[in-house]
Amino acid sequence: MIPIMNKANQKTIRRNTSQRDLVLDAVCKGNHLSAREIFELVSAKKRMSFGTVYRNLQILEEEGEIVAIKTDPELLHYDRRLERHHHLHCRKCGKVFDVFVPYRPEFDIEAAQESGFIIDSHAITFEGLCGVCQNIR
């Protein structure tokens, strides 16, 4: 069981479920998969609705087990790698990849000074064409 804080800052207990374990396993084995791709992997092993997969993705994100990467206003990709890092997004095929450019915490400081926000992190997604899509043009 996993203790979490609800909206009233009260601890609630969430059970670990076999469904959530399957969803997390799919995120771990995949490479920045979308909810639809995770659903296809999971439903091949166990009968589960898309809504159940999506709810479990939201729970895993709330619990800090995965990170949602927004590359498109209507599509999230999910990442098990929790340390701060950046991504590449192919505009043609839609795939998301890690890019091993150092995370620069000084960007947080500069943005905070410029905006007056209290900033604790940032995420950069570089847009372009992956190697496969460059060859298809």
Side-chain angles (χ1 to χ4, degrees), residues 13-47:
I13 303 294
R14 250 192 209 143
R15 289 177 208 248
N16 239 358
T17 65
S18 62
Q19 293 171 326
R20 193 163 312 126
D21 289 342
L22 279 173
V23 170
L24 182 58
D25 188 53
V27 173
C28 291
K29 289 183 178 169
N31 186 18
H32 305 98
L33 301 175
S34 68
R36 178 66 55 195
E37 292 168 319
I38 293 166
F39 168 71
E40 290 170 5
L41 285 174
V42 169
S43 62
K45 294 180 180 180
K46 182 175 185 170
R47 188 173 164 89

Side-chain angles (χ1 to χ4, degrees), residues 4-107:
I4 60 160
M5 302 300 277
N6 66 16
K7 290 181 181 170
N9 279 339
Q10 298 169 335
K11 264 191 180 176
T12 59
I13 303 294
R14 250 192 209 143
R15 289 177 208 248
N16 239 358
T17 65
S18 62
Q19 293 171 326
R20 193 163 312 126
D21 289 342
L22 279 173
V23 170
L24 182 58
D25 188 53
V27 173
C28 291
K29 289 183 178 169
N31 186 18
H32 305 98
L33 301 175
S34 68
R36 178 66 55 195
E37 292 168 319
I38 293 166
F39 168 71
E40 290 170 5
L41 285 174
V42 169
S43 62
K45 294 180 180 180
K46 182 175 185 170
R47 188 173 164 89
M48 197 181 311
S49 73
F50 181 75
T52 299
V53 170
Y54 194 76
R55 257 188 319 284
N56 279 289
L57 287 167
Q58 289 176 316
I59 290 167
L60 288 165
E61 183 183 10
E62 287 170 12
E63 292 173 350
E65 293 290 321
I66 62 173
V67 176
I69 305 159
K70 190 173 189 175
T71 57
D72 177 290
E74 302 194 8
L75 183 64
L76 294 174
H77 293 264
Y78 295 90
D79 194 353
R80 179 65 167 135
R81 192 169 156 217
L82 301 178
E83 70 273 2
R84 294 178 176 164
H85 64 286
H86 305 302
H87 294 96
L88 300 163
H89 174 238
C90 179
R91 275 191 257 126
K92 189 166 188 176
C93 68
K95 290 185 180 172
V96 177
F97 306 89
D98 289 329
V99 61
F100 299 97
V101 174
Y103 183 88
R104 294 195 168 79
E106 62 270 18
F107 289 176

Side-chain angles (χ1 to χ4, degrees), residues 90 92-93 128-137:
C90 179
K92 189 166 188 176
C93 68
L129 294 176
C130 70
V132 172
C133 290
Q134 289 175 42
N135 294 326
I136 296 174
R137 293 205 273 191

